[in-house]
Every structure is written in structure tokens, then in C-alpha cells.
Amino acid sequence: MEHDSRDIRRLLGRHEIRPTKIRMAIAGLLFDGLDKHVTVDDVIALARARDIKTSVASVYNTLNYFAAAGLLRRVTVEQGRAFFDTNLSAHHHFYFEDEGRLEDIPAGALQISGLPKLPKGREIKSVDVTIRL
Amino acid sequence: MEHDSRDIRRLLGRHEIRPTKIRMAIAGLLFDGLDKHVTVDDVIALARARDIKTSVASVYNTLNYFAAAGLLRRVTVEQGRAFFDTNLSAHHHFYFEDEGRLEDIPAGALQISGLPKLPKGREIKSVDVTIRL
DNA sequence: ATAGCTGCAAATGCTTTGCAAGGCC
DNA sequence: GGCCTTGCAAAGCATTTGCAGCTAT
């Protein structure tokens, strides 16, 4: 399931993101049909490998912008680096501490039951489960 | 359930931590019988409020040392600051995003079932559940 | 005496911001 | 033309580290 630039343009459009050159290029790297967990450095390396010229600041700008627009999910497993997850469906993660790597836990392979009563007036924004290995 | 300095000394001894002045003082702030989720800044403020003279580096040293010795649990919910949890029993957390505050989810109020098959040769170091509110 | 702590300051690492130049509708 | 984006360099923060002096055994 490869995505061509028309697919990428539609994807950005659906999230009301203006399809600039850098955004198209980075989205093209990320949304190729495979789920990914990337850091900013990963994206810079990916871009370099495809001769996409950009800057650290722009990669941060773009990933943050995508996350705010709901195109990426930010995942925090350790202080320091942030991961961005291209898989937006409800799922959880294995974290390989020695490798600093995330991996999806297959949907349905883990269930949470008996959600606790919430403090009043609050609603759940997300439920994050990380299994550290 | 107040702890006097003899209790603190025993606690450190049980974890093979040499009871230096600063360590005794910081442990005294943290282990008063109430569960806490503190940041480094919190500890510095607590220390200052009790006229304990110390430095940023020593608070980091001490909290990291306690965490490595199993006296504290490090909790990561956002990049930036780290939390240290004095509650060592198996439990999970609410995270109040707007306040940057953690709260324990009562034990038993939430269950996980159907743990997924692990990548071979791996074992679980911890299962962390964070419910963001 | 000696091994280990403490604390200052400098360094590190990731991320954000200020701002000038460039691109796009 | 005017607004948004890009990218460089500088700034910002939390954290770590180097190291000299101190402490306690």
C-alpha cells in the first residue's frame, strides 16, 4: 500500500494542513502504509537519505504541527527524546529499554477492564499502556 | 504514621544506601508515610522550606540513587521533567495534563488482562498505565 | 588515611524561539 | 501583496558531569 504524492496531498488536506514542500516530503517519508515510531533524528536521517534538504527546526515544526493536527501521536516513554507514532488507532506499546525502540502491541492482545472512577468533571484524553522490556 | 530519623536510617540500611546527611534529610522529606509524586524542583522547594541546605546536583544525585536502589520509582509522563514516586506497590496513574500533576489510581480499580506474547527472550520490566485527563 | 559525598559551575542533549529571507495563493 | 513557512543561530530547560574540597569512618 504505497502512497503517491496525490494521496499525501489528500491526507494533509483532510487534516487542514497546507501542503508545503517540506510537509509533503516529510509526510511522504512517514505515511507509506507502514506503522512507524520515529524520533526527530530518525526523520532527519530519513530525509537526508532521500536528499530532502531541510533543517532541524523545520522537522520539529512539522512533526509538532502534524501531532497537533491529529496526523501523528506523540508518545513519551522516557525523558529526553520524543517519539511520534504514525499509527493512530487505539493500541499500546512495548518499549525495549536497551534499544530505545518502540513496538506496537497488537490490538486486542491486551485488555483493560474496570476503569476507575474519574475525578469529577474530568474526562479521559487517552489511556497509555507501556510494557517495558 | 510518622517516621523518625531512626526509621529513615533503617529504611536506607535495608536498601544498602549509606545514610549520609543529605540522604537522610531528603529521605525524611519523602518517606513520611504519605505517597508522593515529586519532581526535582519539588524536592528542592521542600528542602528549602525546612532549611535543608543542598544543591541541585545533590538532589539529582540522591533521587537517581534512590531510584536505582529501588527506594523510588521513576515515572515518565512527559518529556521535560521526571517524577519520582514514593509508592512502590503495583499501581497506575492519572495524569492531569493541565496541572502537570500525577495521582495514583487505587489498586484494583483497573485490571489488565490478556498480556500479549512477548518477543522471545524478553521479560517484562514493568507495565505502566497512564490515564491522561 | 581513604573511599565516598557534596556542590559549584560547566557541559550536554533535546527542544523551542527570534527573526530574516523565501515561497505560495 | 500579504501571510505563512523555512531555516539558521541563539536561547531555554532539565539533567548530567568534572572536579575540588569536605566528611565520615
Side-chain angles (χ1 to χ4, degrees), chain A:
Chain A
M1 152 172 165
E2 286 290 305
H3 286 206
D4 65 16
S5 73
R6 216 154 352 168
D7 291 324
I8 297 296
R9 187 175 295 273
R10 266 196 292 267
L11 178 65
L12 299 190
R14 222 180 298 134
H15 290 263
E16 301 184 327
I17 298 169
R18 290 173 63 177
T20 66
K21 196 177 347 179
I22 289 298
R23 288 178 186 163
M24 289 289 293
I26 292 181
L29 296 174
L30 298 178
F31 303 106
D32 60 0
L34 300 173
D35 294 334
K36 291 177 177 47
H37 306 95
V38 295
T39 63
V40 165
D41 282 342
D42 292 339
V43 173
I44 291 171
L46 284 171
R48 208 162 282 156
R50 298 233 204 141
D51 280 314
I52 297 166
K53 281 194 53 97
T54 184
S55 67
V56 181
S58 292
V59 173
Y60 274 100
N61 282 342
T62 302
L63 295 184
N64 285 336
Y65 198 78
F66 284 2
L71 205 58
L72 287 174
R73 176 144 78 99
R74 184 193 293 269
V75 180
T76 303
V77 283
E78 56 176 23
Q79 64 272 28
R81 48 224 284 257
F83 287 91
F84 292 88
D85 189 345
T86 61
N87 178 355
L88 296 177
S89 65
H91 69 285
H92 303 298
H93 294 111
F94 288 123
Y95 181 59
F96 298 80
E97 292 189 340
D98 51 354
E99 304 170 46
R101 184 171 61 81
L102 278 175
E103 190 175 298
D104 285 352
I105 293 177
L110 173 156
Q111 289 90 32
I112 294 183
S113 55
L115 276 182
K117 191 156 44 172
L118 304 183
K120 100 182 206 170
R122 296 281 184 167
E123 60 173 25
I124 292 179
K125 291 190 176 140
S126 69
V127 178
D128 300 345
V129 179
T130 305
I131 299 185
R132 288 167 203 273
L133 305 177

Side-chain angles (χ1 to χ4, degrees), chain B residues 25-37:
Chain B
I26 292 181
L29 296 174
L30 297 178
F31 303 107
D32 59 1
L34 300 173
D35 295 334
K36 292 177 176 47
H37 306 95

Side-chain angles (χ1 to χ4, degrees), chain A residues 122, chain B residues 81 83 94-103:
Chain A
R122 296 281 184 167
Chain B
R81 48 224 283 258
F83 288 90
F94 288 124
Y95 181 59
F96 297 81
E97 292 189 341
D98 51 354
E99 304 170 47
R101 184 170 61 80
L102 278 174
E103 191 174 297

Side-chain angles (χ1 to χ4, degrees), chain B residues 11-87:
Chain B
L11 178 64
L12 298 190
R14 223 181 298 134
H15 290 262
E16 302 184 326
I17 298 170
R18 291 173 63 177
T20 66
K21 197 180 341 181
I22 289 299
R23 288 177 186 165
M24 288 289 293
I26 292 181
L29 296 174
L30 297 178
F31 303 107
D32 59 1
L34 300 173
D35 295 334
K36 292 177 176 47
H37 306 95
V38 296
T39 63
V40 165
D41 282 344
D42 292 339
V43 173
I44 291 170
L46 284 170
R48 207 163 282 156
R50 299 234 203 138
D51 281 314
I52 297 166
K53 282 195 53 97
T54 185
S55 68
V56 181
S58 293
V59 173
Y60 275 100
N61 283 341
T62 303
L63 295 184
N64 285 336
Y65 198 78
F66 283 2
L71 206 58
L72 287 174
R73 175 145 77 100
R74 184 193 295 269
V75 181
T76 303
V77 284
E78 56 176 24
Q79 63 273 29
R81 48 224 283 258
F83 288 90
F84 293 87
D85 189 346
T86 61
N87 178 355

